[in-house]
Amino acid sequence: MNFQPLANRVLIEREEEVTTTASGIIIPDNAKEKPLQGKVLAVGPDAKEEGISEGDTVVFGKYAGTEIVLDDKEYLILNSDEILGILK
């Protein structure tokens, strides 16, 4: 993949969805919600100044960002102000 976000945008790969509950119940595909956290793969120059770097795990809002497909894989492009926080 060769993608460089511009300005304050960030390229995110969503984390894998949980398929079972703690008690072992399997969650069907149609009942799953998309995860609200992911790993930062690429960062625009303005977002780097805000403290976001590649490899960070971030939390974002449910309806934030724009979904794109690169190399047959789904990614999310967010503005840095749509990121709610960084998990440490």
Side-chain angles (χ1 to χ4, degrees), residues 1-12 40-49 52-54 68 70-71 75-79:
M1 175 183 60
N2 192 12
F3 182 83
Q4 177 60 46
L6 300 175
N8 69 338
R9 291 179 181 83
V10 179
L11 181 69
I12 306 283
V40 176
L41 299 179
V43 181
D46 295 343
K48 285 182 184 177
E49 294 176 7
I52 301 168
S53 58
E54 293 177 13
I68 63 167
L70 299 171
D71 299 331
Y75 297 98
L76 189 64
I77 297 177
L78 298 172
N79 287 326

Side-chain angles (χ1 to χ4, degrees), residues 14 60-68 75-79 82:
R14 288 186 193 260
F60 45 87
K62 188 172 189 173
Y63 301 106
T66 303
E67 292 181 352
I68 63 167
Y75 297 98
L76 189 64
I77 297 177
L78 298 172
N79 287 326
E82 293 178 307

Side-chain angles (χ1 to χ4, degrees), residues 5-87:
L6 300 175
N8 69 338
R9 291 179 181 83
V10 179
L11 181 69
I12 306 283
E13 180 179 19
R14 288 186 193 260
E15 290 194 351
E16 291 294 319
E17 301 174 35
V18 178
T19 58
T20 59
T21 64
S23 61
I25 297 172
I26 298 173
I27 302 170
D29 288 339
N30 59 356
K32 292 181 194 173
E33 290 191 17
K34 292 188 177 183
L36 301 179
Q37 64 186 33
K39 184 175 182 181
V40 176
L41 299 179
V43 181
D46 295 343
K48 285 182 184 177
E49 294 176 7
E50 295 179 24
I52 301 168
S53 58
E54 293 177 13
D56 286 346
T57 301
V58 295
V59 178
F60 45 87
K62 188 172 189 173
Y63 301 106
T66 303
E67 292 181 352
I68 63 167
V69 176
L70 299 171
D71 299 331
D72 297 327
K73 196 165 185 183
E74 254 187 49
Y75 297 98
L76 189 64
I77 297 177
L78 298 172
N79 287 326
S80 59
D81 60 347
E82 293 178 307
I83 294 175
L84 304 175
I86 299 172
L87 295 174

